[in-house]
Amino acid sequence: MPHIALKMLEGRTEAQKQEAAKKLVAALCEALGCGDHYITMTIEDFNAEEWQDVFANDIEGKANALYKKPSYDPKSLL
């Protein structure tokens, strides 16, 4: 079953997170042709320093599974 893991810089409101979750789940349902009861989702917040590790491990470290490449330098967030 699909699971969405959204990792992002801290600072978004709970309402923004709820809206993002709603739209991401809906988009995934449409793309995969499945019901939302099959989809789970987590949202994790990170500060700019923590993001350096997330970027290294989850983006650069998973380049073979990366479907949308970054167009920014994570060090610019510090």
Side-chain angles (χ1 to χ4, degrees):
M1 300 293 109
H3 175 74
I4 302 168
L6 177 59
K7 297 179 181 186
M8 60 186 176
L9 286 181
E10 60 192 357
R12 275 50 173 234
T13 66
E14 183 61 27
Q16 288 174 311
K17 292 175 187 179
Q18 291 291 336
E19 185 69 12
K22 178 181 170 184
K23 289 184 176 185
L24 287 169
V25 168
L28 192 58
C29 287
E30 182 181 337
L32 299 181
C34 67
D36 67 355
H37 60 281
Y38 290 112
I39 299 173
T40 56
M41 182 171 176
T42 56
I43 297 177
E44 294 178 80
D45 293 322
F46 298 88
N47 65 37
E49 274 187 31
E50 294 168 330
W51 189 255
Q52 305 306 303
D53 290 334
V54 172
F55 193 92
N57 296 327
D58 292 352
I59 298 171
E60 291 177 328
K62 296 182 181 178
N64 61 334
L66 192 62
Y67 283 82
K68 166 64 172 82
K69 297 187 188 304
S71 58
Y72 71 97
D73 180 353
K75 290 180 180 51
S76 69
L77 303 172
L78 295 172

